[in-house]
Amino acid sequence: MSARTLPLLFLNLGGEMLYILDQRLRAQSIPGEKARKDEWTDVDRKRVMNDIITTMFNKKFMEELFKPQDLYSKKALRTVYDRLAHASIMRLNQASMDKLYDLMTMAFKYQVLLCPRPRDILLVTFNHLDAIKDFISDSPGILNQVDETFRRLIETYNCLSDGEFQLIRQTLLIFFQDMHIRVSLFLKDKVQNSNGHFVLPISGPVPWGTEVPGLIRIFNHKGVEVKRTEFTTAGNYVTPQREGSFELYGDRVLKLGTNMYSVTRTVETHMSGSSKTLASQAKENIAPNPLAKEELNFLARLLGGLDIQKPAGGDTGFRLNLFTTDEEEEHAAQTRPEELSYKVINIEATQEPGRRAELSRILGELEVAEPRPGSAEKGEDLLALMDGL
Amino acid sequence: SQAAWCVLPARVLLVLTSQRGVQMYDSDGSTMVFWHALDVPEHSAAHSVFARGIAAAGGHFVCVGTSSGAVLVFDIPPKGTNVTLNEVLEQHRDPITDIAAEQGQAPDGAGDLVTADDSGTLCLWSTGDEFTLLGQIPGSGSTCSSVTLWNGIVAAGYGNGQIRLWEAGSGRICAQVSAHARWIYALDLAPLTGKLLSGAEDSFVHVWKLSRNPDTDDIEIQHCHAECVTDTQVCGARFCDPAGDTFAVTGYDLSEILCY
């Protein structure tokens, strides 16, 4: 297993999350003058994107991320994105957060699987970063942070050998093993089969540095080529035109990792058809992992310590729905198969009373599907619970 | 992690490699015969430590490769648990990817063990109480992911999809095949017939035939058969019998073993 995998996992999943949030925010946004107090505007959208990106690329967080270490458990990683998604005025219900995470992970799994060369995972990461820079193109401060991380990536990874990249790739694939959530966008584009497995094309350009299969060359004892024969297969490959750029700026050539969501296409995920392998994987998730709490507390402390801008007027924030209607979201929450629930573990409150209130407020909102009269009591219950810790 | 059967004249051992080290079990898997922990150097937090590449060689040795490039040579007693680390071969400077012992008859001076690493470098050895390095074939930019040795012919599969044949005795190249469109994960050889099996991430499994041209004495390879395991990145491929009439395939995210 490679100890250098976490930064790539985090940044690419983060990138996918931003693509999805951006698309949903655009789809649900109302022109500024017409918007009610609880509706999204363009200004709100930019604000959310800025906040999340700022949090993601926080210097201290990045330093910690780039330290050689094992991958976090699935639970711990999921909770990191939970915190990240709530780094701004936006709120997501459990069902929407689940869907968001499903989409993010399946998208990146697809990208890792289809990478022509192991090294191309870096190009995928650069594609995500290029797009992130585009999201915050008018905020030089955050742009700087992202560029810093970009440079760090180049410094850390450009010199690694193919073998080391293959090890990173294998580490990632093991992390994603047996995940077969069906995504409607992938199914429509025929990129995923109805059984959840991705389609692996046997045509198209070969990776840079690979020859199109088919040629056998025989050499004699003097090292001179004396015979050439060919063989054919079902594949239909061609030579690639050029190599993608590994510099700070450049044409990546590879399309994996670019934004595949457009405003008009809604993306659904399908939960049915759980298999034996999913159940066994879920069992592994459910078993208590003491390390997970450790990792989580550390990250939670880091994220909790970041300065997050709160909306004026002490609003509870805007809710984003990853589904088309509230009813759909509610239905999804109720019908999610048991083995696919992420079972997010409880975040232990830190000592500062301000922090505790903040955390419990977030936790409180995660519990509530609809604003109900009883919701205030629910929040108080949680507060009491946290007091007892 | 890897698992391999090491078939020695006296006994059969199941050898497992992982990040922590090497484990050896008796052939029914019930007893752990031996356990070797890998040294973790102080300052290599960023470099992964693991064991990779397993081969039975020289009648009573099991060789295991490591991420430092060192090859551990264990002396295996005919019975019992008194396995000892006989030698550490320190020739490779990159992590070992695969090790293969001669499966047929080695011509004179050809050596009976080949080791491969991440840089594509191949080393040829002759086994014994002290292993001797006979030759080295430098890599050319692509990782050698798997290797086999048969009748003095080294067949090597590379990360760029190529298969190359080398003459073990002289170290000269005999053949170069643009075999796959992606990283080759597995190579296996059927010693009775000289059939070669290759499996790669491009979903393909190919069967080849190695031979020696009677007129020119050149080593040749021809393509026999291709099989496409739809939508699967092949991770393992092995002949099920020494003649190579059947073979089995495994892949990523695949919970089945496919037999052909």
Side-chain angles (χ1 to χ4, degrees):
Chain A
M1 294 302 103
S2 173
R4 283 197 224 262
T5 315
L6 192 59
L8 298 181
L9 181 61
F10 176 76
L11 289 171
N12 283 294
L13 284 181
E16 285 303 313
M17 181 175 86
L18 289 166
Y19 287 159
I20 298 164
L21 290 179
D22 182 65
Q23 190 245 22
R24 290 308 294 162
L25 288 168
R26 279 177 200 270
Q28 292 183 2
S29 90
I30 315 286
E33 332 79 60
K34 300 204 190 113
R36 298 197 310 265
K37 200 166 166 233
D38 60 345
E39 282 179 331
W40 292 106
T41 64
D42 251 11
V43 171
D44 295 325
R45 172 178 55 82
K46 287 214 168 114
R47 158 91 174 272
V48 170
M49 298 297 282
N50 271 17
D51 285 348
I52 295 180
I53 294 171
T54 309
T55 311
M56 224 175 114
F57 288 88
N58 169 269
K59 191 166 177 179
K60 228 167 122 203
F61 189 74
M62 277 295 135
E63 245 161 55
E64 197 44 50
L65 192 70
F66 271 82
K67 287 193 185 142
Q69 59 193 302
D70 284 333
L71 284 188
Y72 287 170
S73 68
K74 288 196 176 74
K75 253 191 280 184
L77 195 68
R78 158 64 201 260
T79 315
V80 171
Y81 287 105
D82 247 287
R83 301 299 308 273
L84 202 56
H86 289 91
S88 184
I89 55 175
M90 183 184 70
R91 294 288 162 262
L92 288 170
N93 289 333
Q94 177 84 329
S96 278
M97 189 65 220
D98 282 345
K99 179 177 173 183
L100 175 63
Y101 196 69
D102 287 344
L103 289 174
M104 282 160 56
T105 42
M106 287 310 283
F108 187 44
K109 177 176 181 175
Y110 172 69
Q111 289 153 14
V112 174
L113 205 55
L114 259 76
C115 259
R117 300 173 297 177
R119 179 176 301 275
D120 290 338
I121 282 177
L122 209 48
L123 289 178
V124 173
T125 316
F126 290 162
N127 269 334
H128 281 118
L129 286 187
D130 286 340
I132 289 173
K133 278 162 73 170
D134 221 25
F135 284 135
I136 44 145
S137 52
D138 41 6
S139 313
I142 322 167
L143 204 52
N144 225 11
Q145 275 176 259
V146 180
D147 270 339
E148 257 317 297
T149 305
F150 218 124
R151 274 185 218 106
R152 198 167 188 155
L153 275 173
I154 291 175
E155 201 181 283
T156 313
Y157 292 94
N158 272 19
C159 54
L160 294 188
S161 69
D162 283 345
E164 277 165 310
F165 270 112
Q166 182 66 320
L167 206 61
I168 288 173
R169 185 169 174 277
Q170 284 166 350
T171 310
L172 287 169
L173 287 177
I174 288 173
F175 184 82
F176 290 125
Q177 193 158 19
D178 295 328
M179 283 186 66
H180 297 301
I181 298 164
R182 282 132 61 214
V183 176
S184 72
L185 183 62
F186 291 149
L187 293 170
K188 269 193 211 113
D189 287 348
K190 302 258 185 286
V191 136
Q192 191 179 27
N193 293 321
S194 53
N195 63 0
H197 288 248
F198 287 117
V199 172
L200 299 183
I202 54 172
S203 60
V206 289
W208 190 261
T210 295
E211 285 168 13
V212 173
L215 189 62
I216 302 174
R217 299 162 70 190
I218 308 289
F219 301 89
N220 67 9
H221 59 278
K222 291 207 192 86
V224 176
E225 185 184 310
V226 290
K227 190 153 99 170
R228 274 194 176 207
T229 50
E230 286 185 12
F231 67 93
T232 52
T233 60
N236 184 15
Y237 296 103
V238 294
T239 354
Q241 295 217 320
R242 58 192 190 284
E243 189 183 14
S245 161
F246 287 86
E247 309 290 311
L248 195 55
Y249 301 98
D251 180 7
R252 311 297 171 198
V253 179
L254 195 64
K255 291 289 161 255
L256 295 171
T258 54
N259 196 342
M260 58 184 160
Y261 304 97
S262 71
V263 191
T264 48
R265 301 173 96 174
T266 52
V267 191
E268 293 116 48
T269 51
H270 299 268
M271 291 296 110
S272 60
S274 49
S275 64
K276 267 188 277 192
T277 47
L278 259 175
S280 60
Q281 182 209 2
K283 278 205 200 79
E284 172 236 305
N285 279 343
I286 289 163
N289 178 2
L291 258 183
K293 278 213 162 176
E294 254 329 292
E295 302 157 349
L296 181 56
N297 287 339
F298 182 73
L299 268 178
R301 273 200 298 277
L302 267 184
L303 281 176
L306 298 173
D307 196 21
I308 296 165
Q309 302 296 325
K310 282 293 140 247
D315 229 31
T316 51
F318 301 91
R319 197 166 64 78
L320 180 70
N321 191 345
L322 267 271
F323 299 83
T324 332
T325 62
D326 285 349
E327 289 72 37
E328 245 187 79
E329 188 186 46
E330 177 69 35
H331 183 250
Q334 286 166 356
T335 58
R336 190 176 181 86
E338 184 57 33
E339 61 263 25
L340 288 177
S341 74
Y342 287 101
K343 290 201 164 23
V344 177
I345 65 183
N346 287 318
I347 302 169
E348 284 174 18
T350 58
Q351 297 309 317
E352 309 163 40
R355 262 321 105 190
R356 185 184 303 168
E358 165 72 302
L359 277 171
S360 61
R361 186 172 69 71
I362 292 172
L363 281 175
E365 265 143 33
L366 280 176
E367 294 294 301
V368 178
E370 295 283 337
R372 286 194 300 264
S375 65
E377 292 152 318
K378 243 203 160 125
E380 272 152 23
D381 277 346
L382 274 167
L383 249 172
L385 201 72
M386 315 238 30
D387 278 350
L389 285 173
Chain B
S1 308
Q2 286 181 317
W5 291 110
C6 287
V7 181
L8 296 165
R11 68 201 291 190
V12 174
L13 285 179
L14 177 64
V15 180
L16 306 175
T17 59
S18 70
Q19 274 181 282
R20 303 222 217 100
V22 186
Q23 293 173 330
M24 299 188 192
Y25 291 84
D26 256 327
S27 54
D28 60 1
S30 60
T31 342
M32 182 162 81
V33 169
F34 179 70
W35 152 249
H36 175 93
L38 288 175
D39 291 326
V40 183
E42 288 248 328
H43 306 289
S44 81
H47 293 285
S48 318
V49 175
F50 53 83
R52 184 172 59 188
I54 308 168
H60 58 100
F61 297 107
V62 165
C63 303
V64 179
T66 67
S67 45
S68 65
V71 177
L72 309 170
V73 181
F74 297 98
D75 197 338
I76 314 291
K79 266 200 292 242
T81 59
N82 190 20
V83 175
T84 53
L85 179 62
N86 196 48
E87 213 183 334
V88 178
L89 309 175
E90 280 169 334
Q91 188 65 26
H92 289 274
R93 280 182 301 196
D94 295 279
I96 302 293
T97 50
D98 200 13
I99 306 179
E102 171 61 66
Q103 285 181 263
Q105 290 283 68
D108 288 330
D112 55 345
L113 188 79
V114 61
T115 53
D117 72 26
D118 257 1
S119 72
T121 303
L122 301 169
C123 287
L124 290 134
W125 310 82
S126 101
T127 60
D129 284 320
E130 237 180 71
F131 281 38
T132 325
L133 177 72
L134 296 180
Q136 188 163 325
I137 299 169
S140 52
S142 188
T143 302
C144 175
S145 46
S146 51
V147 73
T148 65
L149 180 58
W150 179 71
N151 291 356
I153 307 170
V154 175
Y158 293 84
N160 65 0
Q162 269 197 4
I163 294 176
R164 290 185 181 180
L165 299 185
W166 308 85
E167 191 180 65
S170 59
R172 70 168 182 91
I173 187 158
C174 305
Q176 192 168 300
V177 186
S178 310
H180 288 275
R182 292 282 191 279
W183 190 282
I184 294 179
Y185 254 109
L187 274 191
D188 193 29
L189 195 128
L192 289 184
T193 52
K195 278 198 207 159
L196 182 72
L197 185 69
S198 66
E201 278 175 9
D202 62 355
S203 311
F204 280 93
V205 180
H206 290 293
V207 182
W208 317 83
K209 184 91 164 31
L210 305 186
S211 58
R212 222 174 247 278
N213 187 312
D215 305 318
T216 64
D217 206 36
D218 290 335
I219 293 163
E220 299 192 347
I221 177 170
Q222 62 189 117
H223 183 254
C224 301
H225 185 74
E227 202 60 55
C228 181
V229 189
T230 314
D231 298 336
T232 305
Q233 295 196 342
V234 175
C235 294
R238 282 279 180 274
F239 283 121
C240 302
D241 64 280
D245 290 325
T246 51
F247 60 88
V249 169
T250 58
Y252 174 70
D253 258 355
L254 205 62
S255 45
E256 306 146 326
I257 298 176
L258 305 170
C259 291
Y260 295 81

